[in-house]
Amino acid sequence: MVQVTKIKESPEKLKVGVLALQGAFIEHIHILQRFPQVSLAIPIRTADQLSSVDALIIPGGESTTIALVAERSGLLEPLREFVESKPTWGTCAGMILLANEATQTKQGGQKLLGGLDITVTRNKFGTQAPLHINHVTTKSGNDDVFPAVFIRAPIISRINSLDVEVLARLEHTIGDTDASAIVAVRQGHLFATAFHPELTNDDRIHQYFVSLALESLRKRCRIIQQQI
Ligand code: GLN
């Protein structure tokens, strides 16, 4: 008996979800709507909505609250499954949730989704308000500089795997956090930034994620086709 599996066409367009349990999600949706490669950008509050998208953004906010609401609404496990194989970008609180380990967590610890082999330290720099603007140097061939907004931001305090690629570092010292501290990383289909690109007028980081997501979906399609 041969099982026939329908081969999904390699995607040209993306359906992107933005986790909308708490935090700065609407700003991401507005930026995504500008990209011709994004056919749909929707808020995600249920497992059904999550299963309808190709890629996900976990926004900034409060990582403990996001995890708590996700757990109460039965989304924690579906989210863990999603991030195992589908392109996901975590900004700030989202980066904490994607980390395999976090320090300076609330007493009793906090739930993480995991996936990124990094250790993050919560609430390292940037006040709640006003926003702290610092430039970060991004690794895009010509060492571009990006205006970054930090709000009680986590820092990547340790990288625990050679598979993690450093994509951006702080340009200037903030408080006791040295210039060159790591503020953006990628590991395969997972991407994380300690800052909030959705709060600036510069959409290069969103463009980067859209390209990353399309590239990793195409790669996944090729692997599935080879297995059949
Ligand atoms: N301090 C927040 C946390 O620990 C993150 C802040 C943010 O997302 N801007 O979850």
Side-chain angles (χ1 to χ4, degrees):
M1 184 72 159
V2 179
Q3 196 180 358
V4 179
T5 314
K6 192 164 177 270
I7 302 173
K8 252 184 127 189
E9 289 293 319
S10 201
E12 297 299 325
K13 297 233 180 208
L14 269 187
K15 289 184 198 142
V16 187
V18 184
L19 193 62
L21 303 178
Q22 189 261 341
F25 56 88
I26 200 73
E27 293 84 350
H28 280 292
I29 292 179
H30 289 152
I31 297 178
L32 290 168
Q33 284 166 342
R34 294 186 210 150
F35 292 109
Q37 308 99 310
V38 175
S39 58
L40 194 71
I42 54 165
I44 302 292
R45 296 193 179 89
T46 66
D48 274 356
Q49 291 166 340
L50 183 63
S51 65
S52 73
V53 295
D54 306 307
L56 180 71
I57 297 178
I58 306 175
E62 184 55 46
S63 55
T64 43
T65 309
I66 296 174
L68 211 70
V69 180
E71 193 174 20
R72 283 189 190 149
S73 45
L75 254 184
L76 209 51
E77 282 316 313
L79 280 167
R80 283 187 175 139
E81 244 170 68
F82 189 98
V83 306
E84 261 173 37
S85 62
K86 305 232 177 105
T88 305
W89 170 19
T91 52
C92 206
M95 178 171 99
I96 298 169
L97 287 161
L98 284 181
N100 281 343
E101 192 180 30
T103 60
Q104 287 191 42
T105 50
K106 284 234 165 99
Q107 231 181 3
Q110 68 182 80
K111 297 248 159 84
L112 303 174
L113 302 175
L116 279 175
D117 269 327
I118 56 172
T119 305
V120 296
T121 305
R122 286 183 67 223
N123 300 335
K124 192 69 177 85
F125 58 81
T127 48
Q128 197 68 41
L131 308 178
H132 197 118
I133 304 229
N134 191 284
H135 284 87
V136 297
T137 309
T138 54
K139 188 185 153 225
S140 60
N142 51 357
D143 274 354
D144 281 337
V145 167
F146 187 88
V149 174
F150 293 97
I151 310 170
R152 278 172 66 75
I155 194 76
I156 297 164
S157 37
R158 210 171 52 222
I159 290 196
N160 303 318
S161 160
L162 291 176
D163 296 337
V164 178
E165 190 187 353
V166 173
L167 294 177
R169 291 176 181 271
L170 273 189
E171 280 254 300
H172 309 289
T173 301
I174 307 182
D176 65 352
T177 305
D178 289 340
S180 91
I182 302 166
V183 290
V185 289
R186 174 184 179 173
Q187 183 173 5
H189 60 283
L190 299 180
F191 172 50
T193 54
F195 51 100
H196 290 257
E198 78 285 5
L199 300 181
T200 58
N201 290 323
D202 191 327
D203 62 17
R204 282 177 294 160
I205 308 281
H206 284 80
Q207 180 66 68
Y208 173 81
F209 177 64
V210 168
S211 307
L212 176 159
L214 277 168
E215 174 202 303
S216 56
L217 286 173
R218 286 179 189 139
K219 205 159 141 198
R220 222 170 137 235
C221 265
R222 280 198 297 276
I223 293 170
I224 293 170
Q225 284 167 359
Q226 277 162 12
Q227 282 169 350
I228 295 173

